[in-house]
Structure formats: structure tokens, C-alpha cells
Amino acid sequence: MSGIDWRTIEEKWIKKWDEQKLFQADPDRSREKYFVTVAYPYPNSPQHIGHGRTYTLADAHARYMRMKGYNVLFPMGFHYTGTPILGMSRRVAAGDKDLLDTFHKIYKLTDDIISTFVEPVKIASYFHNEIKRGMKEMGYSIDWRREFTTIDKVYSKFISWQFRTLKNKGLIVQGSHPVGWCPRDQNPVSQHDTMGDVEPDFTEYVLIKFTSNNDNGLVIPAATLRPETLFGVTNMWINPDIEYVEAKVDGERWVMSKEAAYKLEFLNHKVEILRAIMGREMVGWQLTNPLNNASVPMYPASFVEADSGTGVVMSVPAHAPYDYQALSDLKKDIAIQQKYGIATVVEPIKIIESEGYAGIPAAEAISKISASTDDSHDNTDRLEKATSELYSHEFYKGKMMHNTGKYAGKLVSAAKEEMKAEIVSRGFTSVMYELTNKPVRCRCGAECVVKLLNDQWFLNYGDKNWKSLAHKCIQNMDIVPSDIRQEFDYVVDWLRERACARRSGLGTKLPWDPEWIIESLSDSVIYMAYYMIAKYVNDKTIPDNETISDSFFDYVLFGQGNVKQVAKESGVPSIEKIRNEFQYFYPVDSRHSGRDLVPNHLSFFIFNHVAIFDSSEWPKQIVVNGSVLMEGKKMSKSLGNIIPLRAAIREHGADTIRLAMLISAELLQDADFSFDTARGIKSKLASIFELAQKLKDAASVPAEQTEDRWLASRLARTSAQTAESMDRLRVRESIHHILYGMEQDLQWYDKRVRAKSRENSPAVLSTLKGYLKAQVLMLAPFAPFTAEEVWERLGNKSITVTAEGWPPADSERFDFVAEESELLVQNLIADIAHIVKVTKIAPKKIVIYTTAAWKNHAYKAVLESIAAGKTNFGDIMKQLIANSETSKIKSEPNLVKKIQEDILSTPLEARSRRTLLSEFDESSAISDAAGLLAKEYNGAEVLVFSEDDTSKYDPKSKAKFARPFKPAVYME
């Protein structure tokens, strides 16, 4: 390995590809196009190994499709817009130690560079160039003529056109809706704006207004997801050690946690803190249930959290396992009862009946879960599981009982909405939103909350007709892997109004309301269409000035308008050419992205395409991959295991990194990047170079012997198998075929030729050269630098690996006789090894008996029956007895059973091959490998006889046990 200068090889081919313009794709009506895109990077840091997986998968896909003859477009842009870069520049200006440590220790940046980062665009520009260099060094086959950033002038005009188009369709609305919110930046936040790229997720709670029996004007609100259980409230829970506040909320006096008061301010409530009060002071209070006026006591509970809901919890112990357990614990804790003067503890009130729950449902749910789980599950796990199962069961199968008044007999699912409407109309309730995945932090460092925005602009993803079109697109689209399809349908179903504009950040101003800036996920959903336009912006065909208006995009993307008039207005005489380019390359044939983008970007990608474009231009495929672990651990700065991509390339080489990323897992699995794996792969690549050095001058000579024909046949089969795997984007499987499957074939071939002392014969060297050529062609999408360099060293200087195309994979190249011959010998060696192990014999003589001719006829008949789906033993026996060639089977019925077992345990590939073999001479195949058999057992004498041979050496009558493809063996 030390003799290979990987860096020089990489630089050489990066330069050659650029000179040859190999990856520049232009319309060519004589070839079928293939348009591959991948989520463009956000340039606020260098890419690390974790980022590299998605881009390398997309590149391998693009390269593979090029080798299959497609005119592949694989472009790249850079996503500048949003608040992350703005937040980072503020943190630099504030001297944020954590951020500066990351710049110094992980990204190895100097203070001179960091000092420029107080300007947001300088951050984006620096890391843009850093990422682009890394992409080139990784060998990504990108058409860089189409590069753009999302703050380019013409791109902003494209986004303005997109938003006006959506607004004209009624899909952008103004209103009040909850959003994730940064209280410091005063902006809505989405995944791109948060630390760790977390999409804020929130739930709507109903706030039930209980009132104090002693102070009619005092409200104690409790948050619940189950308003239908109000009839079953027996008590309230309060944490005695938490400081609560009495506050005036919209004119009413409320008692709640300080944290709840803070959150309510963001939900358009006017909150004025009046005084502080400790939870212990409220234990023993009597409250009134607003629905039925029942009096309920306040009990102490340490499990109540100040930051959850209002810090006050209503207790429904009959139907809430947590409440039931807490009430049971309180009953047993006499000391707590005495401390707070609790004379009697309330009993659960059952209000819902459902099949399978005769007594108190919460108690029975806990009991069922406890019985079905082992001791390793702690009590919280059990209660959580019991809660989930009981809630779901009662919602779908439960009915309200007689003690719920007018709701008696109604299904819980219906009663829930009716009761909610009643308590709202009677003023007993309010609404509260909570982040379900808190804490979520903005990139500026502030903890996010849920805010109810007034007069905000939203993309109305809740629109039923829009959802219907999105579902239709998903139904007609190829989603890889297919089991992720239901995730997309689920996201489309629950998506609601989404804030699409904010007050600060980089980006395009909202065309009709310029005080707002379009947020970063909303401006990155149909940018794939802009790649066709970007090429003409970069070569100055499209002027970077004010002449580009909506009519330009209407014509290029929709074909609407008068071409001459639009060309004149826009100052783009060649607008028809741009329109033709869009029509040629669109739609997107394959969109690659990480699984974390399914709930947002990828789903928005679908929504916006179906809203804006005709169905013929909807995306055809989405490919989703998992993330990357580093040596089994999640990548994080705190663990110090984030490795910048360019540093990894310098250390290990681009092809090594590419293969190590791709081989460790199939698409949806998390890939575990390991440097041990990388070192092993580097060694394999080095061995390919070594073999190329040995074979570079080998002449082309026809195959001479069985093993030569076998290796050529195996190559054709591996090429077909790998193409089939790649067509399904089973990338790991593909690489295993190329690196490991082919290596096994080569090792067997080497054993065969060495046993005949022909390892340096012209035919062998020619066969090996053909093997290596095919291997590097198949390796090219995954390890392009190695493939190009070895291909050239093998004498192919006039044509690149890409231009040569995928190696032939047609079945006409399969040599069934050669493949069956080698499989027979391999199985025979395994059988002999087993006999030696069992008998402990060190054989001096090995006698092999091949089956009688009539048994071969019987085997073929049974094989044909099984292939036709006929496996009935009696029917097969009748068929064989009726045939004169196989009638002898009448005296050996057990042979038919053994033949059936042999066939059913044979791989399908070998079965189908044997049906096509008209004749197969087992004796010749084994005799050809006799030298190998002898070599395996210290020069033992090897004799081969047919069972039919009357002069055979058979002292123990072993020959009669021979079956087709299962020779009998005698050793002494």
C-alpha cells in the first residue's frame, strides 16, 4: 500500500474529469435522461463523515446510471437562507466559547478566518468553498455549471414567483396558528434553525378551569389530552416543593407554575404575576369540577413537573395508570397523609366501559403489563406502556357509562369532541400548546417555546385537496426503501398550517408583504427546477437584473405566454432553449435525502410539486437513508468523534471513505463507520492495483479449460446480480458482490489453476485480466478514482470507465456446464472434509462414484415436476415407473425421497440452471479436478468411476449410494 500515492491519483482524475467535461449534462434527445438530486448543503460548517453518506449514495447512483447509458444530470446548490448562519455570526460576535472551541479544535480554523465570521455571508461563503472542495475531492460527479446559492438575485425572483403562484392557488393563508418559536430572535423556528436539527413538535392540550371552593374567583387550570374523562376526576395533584404563582390571566386570577405563566405569554394571553405561592400551601385545597360541580381535593405528588402543562394535574385514577399508581402509593403512605392532614383518600370513579376491562381499567392495565414484562422494565416503563395501551383501547372501543349524564352510551371517540365543544362553549376551558420533544434550542442558544402567531403567513398543508394530491404522488412514486412509504403518508395526514415567513434571517422577502422573509425550508422545496435555469444565469445568458419577472418562469416552467414577448421582456432571447432544457430533464428521477428530512423537507418537496406542476412533472423517486454512527456511537461534538470529511480523505483516501460509508449498512439502517473497516477496504483496493500491475501486459487469449470458462461465467452472473441490486439501490449488497463475492470466486479459480500448475499460462492471465476489467467497471460508481486509474493501467487510455459502461450482464454469457462442474467439485470437497472429520481417516486413496445414467433421468423428471409446482410423492412415483428409462425406481422408492430433498435444498439459481442442462458429465468434471482433490489431501490417490462401470474398484459397495450431483465416496 505504501507504494500507491492515493492523493496524486485523486488529483489526476479530478483534473481529467474537469478537462473532459465528463459530468456536464445537456439535452440529448437521442439518449434517455436521468435527473438525480440530493439535498443541498447548508454552509455553516464543513461537511463531516456523517454528511458524506447521503451525497456518496447519490453520486454512486448517478455514476451507475451513466454507465448504463443514461444522460445523467447531477447538480449542486448551496442553501444560505434562514437563521442558522445569522445565529452563528451573533455567537461569534459574542465570543461564544463552545462555538470558538469547535472552530479551533474540530475544524482547525485560524483566528484570522474566524474574525470575519461576524458577517453572516462570510460564514456561508467560507464553508461553501470548503464543502465544494470536499465534494470534488470525494469524486462527486457534479455538473458544477449549475451551482447557485439561495441568496442569488435570480433565485430570489424564482422563489417570489413560487410564492405568488401558491398564493394565487389559495395555498398560502394568513391567520393565527401555533409555531415553534425562538423568544430571543423573535422568529418561528424549524429544523434548520435548531441545534441538532430538531424539528419542533408540539401538542394541543385542553386547559380545564377548576375553581377554588374557598375563593370563587380563583382558577386552578389543569392541562389534559382527554377532556372526556372529566366525569372521572377524583382529585388534583400538585408538587409541594415547587414554587407556583398567582397571576392575572386575561382578567382572571389563575394559580399555576411559573413556567406555565411564561409559556402562556406566547399564546396571546395577557399575564400579570401577582404573588408566589409554594405547592405545599395548596395541599388540601378543595376544588370544583366545572363539568359536574363535584368537589375534588388537592393531593401532594412529587412526580408533577413545573414545566409540564400548568404544574397542576387532574387525576382520573380509574382510567389513567399513572394516577391509579400514585393514588395507591398515597393510600399506603400514612406519614404523608398525616403530614398534610389527609383524613381519607378518594376512590377511583369508573366512567368508561370497554371489552376486556371488567373492574377498574387502570388497575387491570397495570396488571396485564406487569405480567407480560420482565423485571428489567422499571415501573415508569410499565406505566407508560399501560397508559398507551389503555388510552388507545378506550378511545376506539370504549363507551361512556351511565354516570356521565347525556354522554352515557356514546363512543369515547365521539364523546371526546362533544364534551370538548360543551366546555368551550360554557367558558370552562382554554388551549395550551406544549413542545413534545423539548428541550429544543435555537441555534442562538435560546430555549424554544410554542407561540400562537397572529397575522402570520402560513402554507396551508392542512388543505384536504392538497393532501389528496400529495397522497396520490406518494402512491405513484417509487420510494426506496419501500417500507418508508407509510411514513410519508403519515406525515401528509398530520401536517397542518406551517409558518412560511419570519422577521429576520437571510432570504427572499415575501413579495406582497416585504416586512417578512420567506423561511428556509419553504424556499427549498422545488429548487430542483432551478438547476435548469442556473446554468444560463452562470453563463450570463440570463441577465442578473430586474428584467426577470414572473412571466419568464411561467414560460420556462409551464410553457405559458407568448415566447417572443416573454423573450423581449426578460432580455433572454434564447428562452425557448431554456424551456426545452426544463422539459428534457424534468421531472426529478431520483431525490436522495436523509431520513430526518421525511417529516419536513421531503414531504414539503412532494406538497409543493403537486401544487405547482402537472402530474407529468411530479418527482418519480425518493431515496431515504439512515444516519452515520462513528465506531458505534452517535456523532457529536461532545464526544469528539466528528471527523471533517476532507481530513478523513487526506488520512485514508476518497475511495476508502466512500466504500466504508456505503458497505456498512443498507439504506435505512444507520451506517457504523469504522476505521478498521476503512483500513481493510484500503488493503483490498491496494490488492487490485497489485493485480493490475501483474496483468497489464497480458494478451487476449481464448479460454482453455473449465475453470477459465467458469470464471468468465461467474463474472457475467455477478454483473447481472450487482445490476439487479443497484436497480433496487441495495448499495451494500452491490459492493459485497464486487469486493467479497468476486474475491471468493478468484480464490477458487486460483486454487484450480495452481493445482494444474498453469497459474502463469497466457489463458489464465487473459482470464484474470478480463476478471479485473469487469471488477473495476462494477467498482466505478463506488470507488471512481481506483476504477479509472486501474482501467487506464490495464491499457485503456482512450476511453474512461464511465464511457465503457456497465459490463455485459446477459444470460447468453453464462456457461452452465462450467458453473455446474465447479459447484460439483466444491460440494464434493466439502463432503469429503465432513467424512474425514467424522471418521478421522487420513486418506491415502479417495474413490469417487458418479451416479448411474437412469438416476440422472429420474433426477431430471423430479426436477421438472418440482419446477412446475408438483411435489406429491405418489404422483411423481407413478410418472417415473411409467417411463422405461426410470422404471427401476420402483425398487428404490427411498431414492425419490432423497432426490426430492436434494433438489429442495439446492439454491434456486442452481435448480433453474440444471433444468437447462441437457447433458452433464459428472465424471469428466471430477476427473478434471482430481489434481486439486489430491492436493487437498497430501497427494492421496484419486479414482473416479461411474456407478454403471462394471470394472470399478468398490470393495465396500459404496457406488450404489451415488445420486445425481451427490457422488458417493470411499476412502482408505
Side-chain angles (χ1 to χ4, degrees):
M1 284 194 293
S2 59
I4 301 172
D5 187 344
W6 302 96
R7 191 69 197 127
T8 298
I9 290 170
E10 290 161 3
E11 289 172 350
K12 166 187 170 181
W13 286 103
I14 290 169
K15 184 179 179 183
K16 280 199 171 190
W17 292 332
D18 281 346
E19 290 171 350
Q20 295 167 353
K21 300 179 180 178
L22 194 61
F23 310 129
Q24 293 186 7
D26 295 306
D28 178 356
R29 298 286 173 182
S30 67
R31 297 166 64 204
E32 191 172 349
K33 65 90 182 181
Y34 200 83
F35 183 18
V36 181
T37 69
V38 62
Y40 50 19
Y42 201 89
N44 65 339
S45 66
Q47 288 196 307
H48 56 69
I49 285 175
H51 295 121
R53 186 185 185 198
T54 303
Y55 294 90
T56 306
L57 281 165
D59 182 64
H61 189 189
R63 285 179 173 275
Y64 169 70
M65 297 306 289
R66 274 193 205 93
M67 293 188 75
K68 287 184 70 179
Y70 288 87
N71 183 18
V72 175
L73 173 59
F74 180 37
M76 189 61 61
F78 291 86
H79 195 190
Y80 280 32
T81 46
T83 59
I85 291 173
L86 188 64
M88 181 175 278
S89 70
R90 289 174 180 169
R91 290 173 67 193
V92 171
D96 186 300
K97 185 179 183 303
D98 287 343
L99 182 60
L100 297 179
D101 282 349
T102 298
F103 285 153
H104 286 130
K105 295 175 182 177
I106 297 178
Y107 303 147
K108 311 297 183 189
L109 301 183
T110 65
D111 288 333
D112 286 347
I113 292 171
I114 296 170
S115 66
T116 67
F117 288 178
V118 291
E119 294 182 50
V121 174
K122 290 289 179 66
I123 296 175
S125 177
Y126 178 84
F127 288 121
H128 172 157
N129 292 325
E130 177 76 9
I131 293 169
K132 182 176 179 180
R133 283 193 290 267
M135 288 180 167
K136 287 198 164 194
E137 289 168 5
M138 280 291 281
Y140 296 157
S141 55
I142 291 167
D143 184 349
W144 288 107
R145 297 174 303 161
R146 301 171 187 273
E147 179 182 4
F148 68 89
T149 82
T150 55
I151 60 170
D152 292 350
K153 288 181 182 179
V154 179
Y155 184 80
S156 288
K157 290 177 177 293
F158 168 70
I159 295 302
S160 295
W161 165 84
Q162 172 193 331
F163 266 66
R164 276 190 286 262
T165 301
L166 291 170
K167 189 168 185 290
N168 290 340
K169 291 174 178 281
L171 298 175
I172 295 179
V173 296
Q174 192 173 29
S176 297
H177 295 284
V179 296
W181 180 261
C182 173
R184 182 181 297 167
D185 286 342
Q186 294 289 294
N187 260 331
V189 291
S190 59
Q191 183 183 29
H192 284 188
D193 310 305
T194 62
M195 291 183 177
D197 293 326
V198 178
E199 179 72 22
D201 189 20
F202 47 86
T203 299
E204 179 183 316
Y205 287 88
V206 177
L207 280 188
I208 308 296
K209 295 181 181 180
F210 290 81
T211 55
S212 168
N213 288 3
N214 299 322
D215 184 345
N216 289 333
L218 191 62
V219 173
I220 295 87
T224 183
L225 292 170
R226 301 189 70 191
E228 76 279 10
T229 62
L230 259 173
F231 285 105
V233 174
T234 60
N235 63 283
M236 308 294 283
W237 299 113
I238 197 156
N239 192 321
D241 299 319
I242 287 176
E243 184 177 275
Y244 290 78
V245 294
E246 180 182 334
K248 190 175 284 187
V249 179
D250 303 328
E252 293 181 335
R253 288 186 300 119
W254 288 17
V255 172
M256 62 201 143
S257 67
K258 289 188 297 183
E259 291 79 359
Y262 172 74
K263 287 181 285 190
L264 286 174
E265 291 179 4
F266 295 97
L267 299 176
N268 293 343
H269 292 285
K270 185 178 180 182
V271 180
E272 178 188 348
I273 305 296
L274 301 176
R275 68 184 180 103
I277 179 172
M278 289 302 295
R280 67 178 68 93
E281 298 176 50
M282 292 184 279
V283 174
W285 282 12
Q286 292 290 324
L287 309 182
T288 299
N289 184 329
L291 190 65
N292 59 8
N293 292 319
S295 182
V296 294
M298 188 87 84
Y299 286 164
S302 59
F303 63 80
V304 174
E305 298 176 354
D307 195 36
S308 180
T310 62
V312 182
V313 177
M314 72 180 211
S315 174
V316 189
H319 302 283
Y322 276 102
D323 293 337
Y324 181 86
Q325 187 65 55
L327 203 62
S328 298
D329 293 344
L330 180 60
K331 284 180 181 179
K332 298 173 187 174
D333 198 332
I334 304 301
I336 288 292
Q337 292 180 37
Q338 291 175 345
K339 178 178 178 180
Y340 291 104
I342 300 171
T344 57
V345 177
V346 295
E347 294 295 327
I349 300 172
K350 183 177 178 181
I351 61 166
I352 297 171
E353 58 183 357
S354 59
E355 183 183 341
Y357 292 92
I360 299 298
E364 293 180 7
I366 294 170
S367 179
K368 287 178 183 179
I369 295 300
S370 296
S372 65
T373 55
D374 57 44
D375 292 337
S376 64
H377 290 74
D378 65 24
N379 201 41
T380 301
D381 288 339
R382 290 190 178 95
L383 291 174
E384 190 66 41
K385 193 170 183 183
T387 298
S388 176
E389 293 189 8
L390 180 59
Y391 279 17
S392 177
H393 180 85
E394 290 188 335
F395 181 79
Y396 291 107
K397 299 180 180 179
K399 285 185 178 180
M400 305 302 289
M401 292 174 61
H402 62 87
N403 54 352
T404 61
K406 64 182 179 181
Y407 299 103
K410 292 191 175 183
L411 291 172
V412 169
S413 54
K416 178 174 184 172
E417 295 307 315
E418 290 181 28
M419 200 178 299
K420 183 178 176 181
E422 179 185 345
I423 58 179
V424 168
S425 67
R426 294 170 63 183
F428 296 160
T429 185
S430 184
V431 172
M432 186 173 194
Y433 296 94
E434 281 268 33
L435 285 170
T436 54
N437 55 343
K438 62 186 177 184
V440 178
R441 292 193 176 275
C442 175
R443 288 184 185 268
C444 74
E447 186 168 341
C448 299
V449 295
V450 180
K451 181 172 175 61
L452 198 60
L453 276 184
N454 294 324
D455 301 324
Q456 165 70 291
W457 293 101
F458 294 87
L459 284 159
N460 189 17
Y461 290 138
D463 183 277
K464 290 183 179 179
N465 291 331
W466 202 359
K467 284 181 184 290
S468 177
L469 285 175
H471 280 304
K472 183 179 178 183
C473 180
I474 292 167
Q475 181 183 351
N476 295 330
M477 187 193 303
D478 181 27
I479 294 180
V480 183
S482 58
D483 50 4
I484 203 86
R485 185 183 302 276
Q486 62 186 17
E487 281 190 35
F488 279 98
D489 281 322
Y490 173 74
V491 171
V492 168
D493 282 336
W494 68 250
L495 267 175
R496 49 190 175 243
E497 296 84 357
R498 177 185 170 82
C500 60
R502 58 191 47 182
R503 298 290 187 181
S504 65
L506 301 177
T508 301
K509 291 186 181 298
L510 201 60
W512 57 87
D513 194 349
E515 290 185 4
W516 294 91
I517 295 170
I518 296 169
E519 68 94 26
S520 62
L521 273 175
S522 301
D523 77 357
S524 63
V525 286
I526 63 162
Y527 69 85
M528 312 81 205
Y530 187 77
Y531 282 124
M532 268 55 78
I533 296 167
K535 184 181 88 171
Y536 294 98
V537 174
N538 294 338
D539 72 7
K540 308 302 182 187
T541 298
I542 297 174
D544 188 9
N545 58 34
E546 297 304 313
T547 61
I548 301 300
S549 62
D550 285 2
S551 64
F552 170 83
F553 298 107
D554 284 341
Y555 184 78
V556 169
L557 303 178
F558 296 159
Q560 294 176 358
N562 179 284
V563 60
K564 291 182 179 179
Q565 184 178 342
V566 176
K568 183 178 180 181
E569 288 174 357
S570 62
V572 185
S574 54
I575 192 171
E576 185 69 22
K577 184 179 180 182
I578 304 171
R579 167 70 182 159
N580 287 337
E581 180 147 340
F582 173 79
Q583 288 181 300
Y584 176 77
F585 280 116
Y586 233 65
V588 173
D589 292 287
S590 185
R591 174 69 174 167
H592 285 255
S593 221
R595 186 176 190 169
D596 59 318
L597 297 185
V598 171
N600 41 70
H601 168 74
L602 288 173
S603 294
F604 304 159
F605 164 71
I606 293 169
F607 265 104
N608 285 266
H609 268 84
V610 302
I612 292 174
F613 296 106
D614 290 339
S615 59
S616 61
E617 286 160 352
W618 292 357
K620 290 186 174 182
Q621 181 186 68
I622 289 178
V623 182
V624 180
N625 61 266
S627 58
V628 179
L629 306 175
M630 177 64 71
E631 306 283 2
K633 296 178 182 176
K634 187 175 181 179
M635 290 190 189
S636 76
K637 297 183 183 74
S638 61
L639 292 174
N641 63 353
I642 289 181
I643 311 295
L645 194 57
R646 295 187 70 202
I649 295 168
R650 287 191 292 272
E651 178 73 19
H652 299 278
D655 284 349
T656 297
I657 298 298
R658 288 172 66 110
L659 289 168
M661 282 176 184
L662 300 179
I663 203 170
S664 61
E666 286 298 355
L667 275 174
L668 211 53
Q669 300 169 331
D670 287 344
D672 188 2
F673 185 89
S674 161
F675 287 110
D676 283 342
T677 301
R679 283 185 282 271
I681 287 170
K682 197 169 189 177
S683 178
K684 284 189 178 297
L685 295 180
S687 68
I688 291 174
F689 276 93
E690 290 165 8
L691 187 58
Q693 181 63 27
K694 175 184 175 182
L695 301 173
K696 63 178 183 177
D697 297 322
S700 180
V701 176
E704 288 181 350
Q705 300 196 24
T706 303
E707 61 268 22
D708 301 335
R709 300 195 310 276
W710 171 81
L711 189 62
S713 183
R714 286 295 303 156
L715 282 175
R717 196 172 291 281
T718 300
S719 176
Q721 288 172 336
T722 307
E724 183 183 339
S725 295
M726 275 303 289
D727 288 342
R728 294 182 294 141
L729 283 171
R730 296 188 61 84
V731 177
R732 178 177 185 266
E733 186 176 275
S734 302
I735 298 171
H736 267 273
H737 288 321
I738 299 162
L739 287 185
Y740 299 100
M742 291 184 73
E743 182 180 51
Q744 288 180 342
D745 290 345
L746 187 61
Q747 288 172 349
W748 174 255
Y749 180 73
D750 186 61
K751 286 176 74 169
R752 290 281 275 121
V753 299
R754 286 185 183 280
K756 295 181 178 181
S757 299
R758 59 186 294 262
E759 59 265 30
N760 292 314
S761 72
V764 168
L765 295 177
S766 175
T767 300
L768 286 173
K769 191 171 184 178
Y771 157 91
L772 187 57
K773 280 186 172 183
Q775 185 180 37
V776 296
L777 286 172
M778 285 185 269
L779 197 58
F782 316 105
F785 297 109
T786 298
E788 291 282 21
E789 184 66 19
V790 172
W791 182 251
E792 185 181 79
R793 292 186 186 188
L794 288 173
N796 305 289
K797 295 186 182 296
S798 61
I799 189 167
T800 65
V801 160
T802 299
E804 178 68 15
W806 194 257
D810 56 283
S811 58
E812 291 180 6
R813 292 174 173 266
F814 299 165
D815 190 319
F816 297 140
V817 172
E819 287 192 37
E820 202 56 64
S821 296
E822 298 307 304
L823 179 62
L824 178 69
V825 174
Q826 289 168 349
N827 289 341
L828 181 57
I829 288 175
D831 288 344
I832 293 171
H834 179 69
I835 295 169
V836 168
K837 183 178 180 181
V838 171
T839 63
K840 304 289 194 292
I841 293 175
K844 298 288 188 293
K845 179 183 288 187
I846 302 173
V847 188
I848 300 162
Y849 309 97
T850 59
T851 192
W854 75 269
K855 291 182 182 177
N856 280 324
H857 294 308
Y859 183 94
K860 194 162 184 67
V862 176
L863 179 64
E864 288 172 353
S865 292
I866 289 175
K870 300 172 185 175
T871 56
N872 183 273
F873 176 76
D875 292 343
I876 291 174
M877 281 296 295
K878 287 177 186 176
Q879 178 188 340
L880 293 172
I881 292 169
N883 188 328
S884 59
E885 289 185 320
T886 56
S887 58
K888 286 176 69 174
I889 202 76
K890 186 176 183 179
S891 61
E892 295 192 54
N894 283 338
L895 178 61
V896 176
K897 289 184 178 179
K898 288 185 180 295
I899 287 175
Q900 273 187 304
E901 290 170 2
D902 289 344
I903 292 169
L904 292 172
S905 64
T906 299
L908 287 172
E909 180 187 302
R911 273 195 239 173
S912 60
R913 181 171 66 228
R914 289 172 185 176
T915 61
L916 299 172
L917 284 172
S918 54
E919 295 291 336
F920 180 61
D921 187 347
E922 291 187 27
S923 294
S924 293
I926 297 168
S927 297
D928 185 64
L932 175 60
L933 292 168
K935 196 171 181 179
E936 288 281 312
Y937 294 98
N938 299 316
E941 181 184 7
V942 177
L943 302 175
V944 184
F945 296 101
S946 168
E947 182 185 352
D948 292 330
D949 189 345
T950 56
S951 62
K952 62 184 176 290
Y953 177 72
D954 189 11
K956 297 290 186 180
S957 299
K958 293 284 188 181
K960 64 184 178 183
F961 298 109
R963 303 194 300 276
F965 304 102
K966 290 288 271 185
V969 179
Y970 166 70
M971 294 188 299
E972 58 183 40

